[in-house]
Amino acid sequence: MPTVLVSKDLPGDALDRLRRAPGARVVVGAHPGGGVDLEDVVALVAVLTDVVDGARLASLPNLRIVANVAVGYDNVDLAACRARGVVVTNTPDVLTESTADFTMGLLLAAARRIAEGDRVVRGGGFGGWAPSYMLGTAVSGATLGVVGLGRIGAATARRARAFGMNVLYTQRRRAPEALERELAATYTSVDALFSESDFVSLHCPLDETTRHLVDAERLARMKPGSVLVNTARGPCVDEAALAQALATGPLAAAGLDVYEREPAVHPALLARDNVVLAPHLGSADRRTREAMARLAADNVVAVLSGEPPLTPVP
Ligand code: GLV
């Protein structure tokens, strides 16, 4: 029987919605080959840890859609999908505000040493207030450099403006003038952004042009005492180089939600107090995750019903 293979259990009503897909059964969490005839699989609801490459596609010869429960889709080989006529969808918009909230949280935690302070208090190390005790980096009046002023980058910049920050941004093409005006955001080159920002936040997709976008050379350009935040994709940053820049400068701190070899974290980062490490939680509030799962399910139902997908990847 035609099967919708859901790689991981989903929150909210997404599975109920999937069960409405005409003439298909829903199987959650089957291991490749385990309990599912791969020839029956017509839809795959994938998560960002699923690698959907040529080999995976070859094992699913009747696949019609890959519905990724994420806005990023670097885990999916788009060209291979296109070659096989497999539709690929993602979950834009529904996670924008949530991810921008989390980015701001990481930025503040890194700048003001919130997670480090928590560890100090729990460890019994809080000896009382003192004028020079655990001083962090000022946020208001500082300059935030946004790499990728897309949906999440713009939502982060909006929050940064509310915190009194100035905004620089870089991306391949200049943003619409109205957005620049709204955010009072100044367009600049990648290298200038790294040398002129007090905070840099990454919001670019991962592809061959952004892999190790933050390398030793770019880190060396950053201002003394600056802060890097990454809620995009881990491989955009050379983690070994980042650990070095946190140890010997110029960076004061970093806030990371994503890792080069996720879920592994570079041991040199784990050893440092001036980096806040989150376990890929950018979109992880209940309402947002339910909305992402629902959108992925609705994409599957649309395609299996012969309708156009709601959110195909560009
Ligand atoms: C999460 O990282 C996403 O791309 O949605």
Side-chain angles (χ1 to χ4, degrees):
M1 181 176 189
T3 298
V4 177
L5 187 56
V6 179
S7 115
K8 284 200 173 13
D9 196 15
L10 300 172
D13 64 356
L15 291 176
D16 291 336
R17 292 167 94 92
L18 276 175
R19 292 194 182 100
R20 283 183 222 141
R25 67 172 182 149
V26 176
V27 175
V28 179
H31 302 295
V36 177
D37 186 343
L38 296 183
E39 300 222 339
D40 286 343
V41 176
V42 290
L44 175 64
V45 179
V47 299
L48 56 89
T49 52
D50 294 315
V51 176
V52 185
D53 56 9
R56 185 83 200 272
L57 291 168
S59 75
L60 303 168
N62 294 307
L63 191 66
R64 293 169 61 189
I65 172 171
V66 177
N68 214 34
V69 188
V71 68
Y73 43 83
D74 47 283
N75 57 312
V76 181
D77 184 336
L78 291 189
C81 286
R82 208 170 295 126
R84 289 178 166 269
V86 174
V87 171
V88 180
T89 63
N90 66 342
T91 60
D93 300 314
V94 292
L95 50 53
T96 299
E97 303 302 328
S98 178
T99 308
D101 287 344
F102 199 83
T103 303
M104 215 53 207
L106 269 185
L107 185 155
L108 293 169
R112 300 300 304 276
R113 306 174 68 172
I114 295 174
E116 183 188 353
D118 179 274
R119 286 191 295 277
V120 168
V121 173
R122 286 174 200 281
F126 180 35
W129 191 93
S132 302
Y133 180 56
M134 282 197 78
L135 304 185
T137 305
V139 171
S140 70
T143 295
L144 171 67
V146 176
V147 179
L149 197 70
R151 287 172 289 244
I152 298 171
T156 300
R158 214 164 274 126
R159 283 158 177 73
R161 293 290 298 156
F163 275 81
M165 303 182 86
N166 307 305
V167 176
L168 299 176
Y169 79 98
T170 191
Q171 61 186 8
R172 238 161 278 160
R173 253 172 276 139
R174 204 166 159 166
E177 212 184 306
L179 186 62
E180 283 191 350
R181 210 173 318 115
E182 181 210 332
L183 301 171
T186 304
Y187 185 57
T188 188
S189 68
V190 186
D191 285 341
L193 180 133
F194 274 81
S195 31
E196 288 165 24
S197 300
D198 303 297
F199 293 80
V200 171
S201 188
L202 304 185
H203 300 284
C204 49
L206 172 64
D207 58 27
E208 285 322 306
T209 67
T210 58
R211 192 174 294 278
H212 279 198
L213 177 113
V214 183
D215 56 9
E217 199 186 309
R218 290 244 161 79
L219 288 162
R221 286 178 178 274
M222 289 181 75
K223 288 186 185 177
S226 57
V227 175
L228 177 76
V229 179
N230 187 9
T231 54
R233 283 292 181 267
C236 296
V237 176
D238 178 342
E239 278 182 1
L242 174 62
Q244 187 63 42
L246 286 165
T248 57
L251 267 67
L256 305 178
D257 190 37
V258 288
Y259 304 92
E260 245 189 297
R261 280 168 280 275
E262 213 167 296
V265 179
H266 198 294
L269 289 175
L270 286 171
R272 296 218 57 80
D273 251 340
N274 57 344
V275 55
V276 183
L277 304 169
H280 206 148
L281 296 178
S283 62
D285 67 62
R286 182 164 299 283
R287 189 184 67 194
T288 299
R289 284 289 170 82
E290 288 183 0
M292 291 165 67
R294 191 178 306 130
L295 182 53
D298 291 353
N299 271 305
V300 168
V301 174
V303 167
L304 296 188
S305 307
E307 289 160 22
L310 306 172
T311 50
V313 303

